[in-house]
Amino acid sequence: MKGPVSIGDKLDLNIIDLTNQGLGVGKVEGFTIFVEGGLPGDELIAEIKKTKKNFAEAKAVEIKNPSSKRQISECKYYKNCGGCQLHELDYRAQLDIKTNMVKDAIERIGKLEDVKINPTIGMETPFRYRNKGMFKVGEKEGNISIGYFKNKSHEVVDIEECIIQDEVVDKVLKIVKEYMEKYNVQAYNKKTNKGTIRDIVTRKAKDGSTMVIIVTTSEKLPYKDELIKSLKTVKEVVSIYQNINKKKTPVVLGNKNIKLYGEDKIVDYIDKFKFYISPNSFFQVNPIQTEVLYKKALEYLDLNGGETVFDLYCGIGTISLFISEKAKSVYGVEIVSDAIKDAEENAKLNNVRNIEFIEGKSEEIAPKLLKEGIKADKIVVDPPRKGCDEKLLETIVKIKPETVVYVSCNPSTLARDLKYLDENGYKVIEVQPVDMFPWTMHVECVTLLTRNEDKE
Ligand SMILES: C[S@@+](CC[C@H](N)C(=O)[O-])C[C@H]1O[C@@H](n2cnc3c(N)ncnc32)[C@H](O)[C@@H]1O
């Protein structure tokens, strides 16, 4: 069956919603049109670019009557750059949309009606918030471009500044670009699998100390000393690495790092806890909102110092450390071996002795701990986007902790897992969305569940 629109049609549309990819949603005779560049409340003309059985994709070509929530973007590159999606939407409206996204998932997928969903906690200043930057390096007609990929393409949008990164990053990108142009250093070309520099990665600690990682296709880096000398002129740059990634892969960092200058690691903080950051280590990218999120998780845990707590999917142990002072003992479980090593090192760095980190899958380690008689009074889970494995949810129900705190970066899988827990003896008390990634559609949530004694 053919839909009511064809490629090339230009249609008057009212945008009524936003998808979780940041596309406006319009309807023609009940048929859904996803509109790039459309925001809720816009009356616009959209040109159809693609048609499918149940929907069509279009691009806004003229905004006839803009939504009252529209603003002039602070980013000069937003029209092309695929890094963010919401630069033309007022920040307060972004927070409302995120709250509604969470509410919708909890009600539609989780089938939970009476859950308290708090308004999304936003940032006071939602700019220059990221402590990590990952920039593609490309070449077009002999010109180097460094920036993010264009939306749905592998073309690199050349940027001179990124307003969600620290100003130091702008300086670093300029230096690398000038160096590549001056010494004719080639950008990596994915199609031919040739060239030298693939990506530039930056990591910044709270005190401003910055690590620069130049990702190359081999150990060769022509005029390396000149590059180091130029980067050293930026006083915040305290560490420079070359990372070798020979593989034809979208994964940015390879396994081999060669230190070119300065510190081996930089030290960052969450609250009073210190964390070592090396080129490959995982760390939350928005330090201000991470603290907000963790404080909420700690508040929901309501620890009295006598409890055993499981921190499942613990990464480098940030939540484990954050809650360690208030608990008797913490077990952190994480699948990535290097993250467990970092977690152990971070515990030592902070003189914390009541955490045991275990490498493995949460869904396998939690039943093992239960079998050994180690039971959690309270459990925190912070899984990746796909949510918790059902086997883990089953085990949580068997362990019967009085409180479960669920940290999630994906409202859909959160809602699915909350439904399971709700049907198996837990009550979802409250969900707190936190905006960790302003200008994007991503939202993080922390949820409090308590054991429902009625279902014993
Ligand atoms: C969203 S991150 C959370 C990290 C950490 N809690 C934090 O706040 O920084 C999810 C973590 O789960 C880990 N992971 C993925 N699948 C896992 C599994 N089945 N068992 C344990 N850890 C897993 C990932 O490697 C990643 O470190």
Side-chain angles (χ1 to χ4, degrees):
M1 203 188 85
K2 199 174 167 294
V5 298
S6 304
I7 293 175
D9 285 357
K10 287 189 179 161
L11 312 163
D12 281 318
L13 280 181
N14 291 334
I15 302 300
I16 50 171
D17 205 350
L18 205 63
T19 68
N20 50 16
Q21 272 99 40
L23 298 171
V25 180
K27 297 265 182 191
V28 172
E29 298 163 27
F31 186 77
T32 303
I33 320 266
F34 296 118
V35 186
E36 193 186 322
L39 293 177
D42 281 343
E43 287 172 35
L44 49 72
I45 299 178
E47 182 175 341
I48 303 294
K49 298 285 180 194
K50 223 183 225 179
T51 56
K52 294 268 164 75
K53 195 170 153 218
N54 296 321
F55 64 90
E57 291 173 16
K59 197 167 179 171
V61 287
E62 188 189 331
I63 312 288
K64 285 170 55 183
N65 194 5
S67 159
S68 59
K69 312 265 169 46
R70 261 190 186 272
Q71 62 165 25
I72 294 175
S73 170
E74 306 254 355
C75 170
K76 323 185 235 192
Y77 309 103
Y78 77 97
K79 277 215 155 92
N80 281 325
C81 179
C84 303
Q85 299 85 44
L86 301 176
H87 271 295
E88 288 186 288
L89 186 64
D90 167 76
Y91 187 54
R92 293 294 126 198
Q94 287 177 41
L95 299 178
D96 291 344
I97 279 183
K98 292 182 186 191
T99 311
N100 287 336
M101 242 167 68
V102 174
K103 192 167 181 292
D104 176 62
I106 300 290
E107 288 175 2
R108 200 172 36 82
I109 305 169
K111 310 267 182 267
L112 297 163
E113 296 287 318
D114 56 348
V115 175
K116 183 175 172 221
I117 294 163
N118 292 324
T120 304
I121 303 176
M123 297 190 77
E124 235 167 76
T125 315
F127 298 104
R128 305 278 184 199
Y129 64 83
R130 281 186 69 102
N131 57 16
K132 183 179 187 185
M134 296 178 108
F135 303 93
K136 291 282 155 203
V137 179
E139 204 164 325
K140 201 177 172 193
E141 289 148 16
N143 295 317
I144 298 293
S145 21
I146 304 183
Y148 302 99
F149 280 144
K150 197 171 168 175
N151 211 359
K152 291 192 206 149
S153 130
H154 282 111
E155 187 184 320
V156 179
V157 177
D158 191 38
I159 57 171
E160 278 172 18
E161 65 161 15
C162 176
I163 59 170
I164 59 168
Q165 297 286 347
D166 195 272
E167 270 121 350
V168 171
V169 173
D170 302 342
K171 292 184 200 164
V172 166
L173 298 188
K174 184 168 183 272
I175 287 170
V176 178
K177 192 174 169 199
E178 282 171 359
Y179 146 82
M180 290 181 74
E181 284 170 350
K182 183 168 176 188
Y183 296 105
N184 198 19
V185 179
Q186 304 293 302
Y188 172 64
N189 181 324
K190 199 172 148 249
K191 277 191 199 135
T192 59
N193 206 22
K194 291 207 169 99
T196 303
I197 300 189
R198 300 170 67 121
D199 299 87
I200 310 297
V201 177
T202 57
R203 321 255 348 217
K204 193 206 82 171
K206 259 190 185 158
D207 67 0
S209 314
T210 301
M211 174 184 281
V212 178
I213 306 149
I214 312 286
V215 186
T216 58
T217 48
S218 75
E219 280 76 2
K220 274 192 229 143
L221 182 58
Y223 298 95
K224 191 190 297 181
D225 292 343
E226 282 73 6
L227 175 62
I228 298 168
K229 196 171 153 207
S230 305
L231 285 171
K232 275 165 65 179
T233 61
V234 182
K235 71 171 190 318
E236 292 87 350
V237 174
V238 297
S239 171
I240 307 173
Y241 273 91
Q242 180 182 355
N243 173 276
I244 321 296
N245 189 352
K246 296 184 181 179
K247 289 192 187 145
K248 223 178 167 182
T249 163
V251 176
V252 172
L253 291 172
N255 293 328
K256 184 170 178 185
N257 291 302
I258 304 169
K259 193 176 82 173
L260 303 180
Y261 163 74
E263 312 286 338
D264 290 350
K265 299 174 181 201
I266 55 174
V267 177
D268 208 352
Y269 285 83
I270 297 177
D271 202 33
K272 62 179 182 188
F273 297 101
K274 291 188 235 172
F275 296 89
Y276 280 135
I277 310 292
S278 44
N280 298 61
S281 39
F282 172 83
F283 199 60
Q284 294 280 356
V285 297
N286 184 333
I288 295 174
Q289 294 300 85
T290 298
E291 245 176 78
V292 172
L293 184 83
Y294 288 2
K295 279 188 178 150
K296 202 66 193 172
L298 190 59
E299 179 195 316
Y300 284 165
L301 279 171
D302 191 23
L303 298 170
N304 61 27
E307 298 97 336
T308 297
V309 186
F310 289 178
D311 173 17
L312 306 175
Y313 307 89
C314 72
I316 58 162
T318 37
I319 296 179
S320 303
L321 275 165
F322 202 80
I323 63 176
S324 59
E325 253 181 3
K326 300 262 164 48
K328 187 170 114 224
S329 57
V330 180
Y331 290 83
V333 180
E334 162 65 42
I335 197 168
V336 175
S337 160
D338 280 349
I340 284 289
K341 282 186 202 124
D342 283 346
E344 281 164 349
E345 198 175 17
N346 288 327
K348 269 193 209 134
L349 181 68
N350 291 283
N351 286 319
V352 172
R353 294 196 177 81
N354 61 341
I355 313 176
E356 187 179 326
F357 288 108
I358 306 169
E359 181 187 330
K361 292 182 178 169
S362 299
E363 59 273 24
E364 289 172 5
I365 302 294
K368 233 173 166 176
L369 289 172
L370 178 64
K371 225 173 171 183
E372 288 165 17
I374 302 166
K375 278 191 73 179
D377 301 300
K378 300 191 173 180
I379 291 183
V380 186
V381 293
D382 183 4
R385 289 191 68 76
K386 68 176 182 184
C388 292
D389 192 284
E390 193 166 321
K391 201 167 149 226
L392 174 65
L393 297 174
E394 264 171 41
T395 310
I396 291 176
V397 170
K398 278 190 202 146
I399 296 174
K400 296 187 183 171
E402 64 186 90
T403 305
V404 176
V405 173
Y406 193 132
V407 180
S408 159
C409 55
N410 184 346
S412 306
T413 54
L414 168 69
R416 178 201 67 200
D417 293 350
L418 293 185
K419 180 169 186 280
Y420 181 96
L421 290 168
D422 173 79
E423 285 165 356
N424 289 281
Y426 281 85
K427 179 157 178 56
V428 182
I429 306 292
E430 188 173 311
V431 183
Q432 178 61 65
V434 177
D435 189 23
M436 302 279 272
F437 309 101
W439 315 107
T440 75
M441 286 300 288
H442 295 286
V443 62
E444 196 90 9
C445 288
V446 51
T447 301
L448 168 65
L449 297 105
T450 57
R451 201 168 151 68
N452 188 353
E453 298 305 333
D454 300 343
K455 291 197 181 173
E456 279 286 297

